[in-house]
Amino acid sequence: IAQGRLEALLNFQQLTIDLTGLDLASASLLDEATAAAEAMGLARRVSKAKKANSFFIANDVLPQTIDVVKTRAEMFGFDIIVDAPEKAAEYEIFGALFQYTNRHGQITDYTELFAQLKEKKAIVTVAADIMSLVLLKSPGAMGADVAFGSAQRFGVPMGYGGPHAAFFVARDE
């Protein structure tokens, strides 16, 4: 039984690596919104934009995700900026969060914007619909540093009545 569970976990991790175009996968996190908050914390720890204390959230991110990230940011003392995605590079930030596909179902190729943010030393995080990544350009191919999202789209069941597990993948750097 333990061997089967280990193989399932490794398959889950490899699936998320393959679909997101990133290098390292976790086992899972509580849910997508919590994973977003963890991504913000990771961004602060690894960003080279040390003077920045702001985290950007695109205004087309799911509202429950924005709320959870704002709550966690308050605990850390981070400033949150919520604005149109295309305005992200206008701010001095340590990281940014985008939704792919966004809450309106729109698909945007953020490759150029992500390159601009990386020039400013910001860490780019993406809340992704894992099923859509079967057909869409991966967050990694667009230049994202972190991708996460709900794994429920692949039938991952709810844990003891709680939320669906989230996947979390990052660049090796």
Side-chain angles (χ1 to χ4, degrees):
I1 292 174
Q3 180 67 28
R5 288 182 181 165
L6 178 60
E7 289 173 10
L9 178 61
L10 293 174
N11 286 336
F12 172 77
Q13 290 174 310
Q14 190 61 54
L15 172 82
T16 59
I17 287 169
D18 291 345
L19 292 177
T20 61
L22 295 167
D23 307 314
L24 301 171
S26 71
S28 69
L29 293 172
L30 183 59
D31 61 11
E32 183 172 317
T34 305
E38 292 298 327
M40 176 186 60
L42 173 68
R44 176 67 265 162
R45 288 188 297 277
V46 301
S47 173
K48 304 288 188 218
K50 297 301 179 192
K51 293 181 181 178
N53 193 48
S54 297
F55 186 75
F56 179 89
I57 305 174
N59 62 5
D60 58 8
V61 169
L62 296 173
Q64 64 270 23
T65 301
I66 294 173
D67 288 345
V68 170
V69 174
K70 281 181 172 180
T71 300
R72 183 73 60 88
E74 187 177 321
M75 306 278 281
F76 284 134
F78 302 153
D79 298 318
I80 293 293
I81 300 165
V82 180
D83 205 345
E86 61 275 8
K87 293 185 177 183
E90 297 176 12
Y91 297 99
E92 186 173 331
I93 55 175
F94 64 82
L97 168 60
F98 300 88
Q99 187 86 41
Y100 181 68
T101 60
N102 70 24
R103 74 178 179 197
H104 307 291
Q106 296 169 323
I107 301 164
T108 304
D109 185 339
Y110 289 115
T111 304
E112 290 182 32
L113 178 58
F114 289 1
Q116 292 172 5
L117 291 170
K118 293 183 90 147
E119 284 178 23
K120 297 179 80 168
K121 298 181 170 70
I123 301 299
V124 176
T125 70
V126 176
D129 176 345
I130 191 89
M131 185 68 83
S132 73
L133 298 182
V134 172
L135 297 175
L136 299 178
K137 185 175 185 178
S138 72
M142 284 190 279
D145 298 299
V146 176
F148 57 87
S150 175
Q152 193 282 325
R153 300 271 283 149
F154 283 132
V156 177
M158 291 177 68
Y160 300 102
H164 294 286
F167 65 92
F168 193 96
V169 191
R171 288 198 185 283
D172 191 21
E173 306 86 66

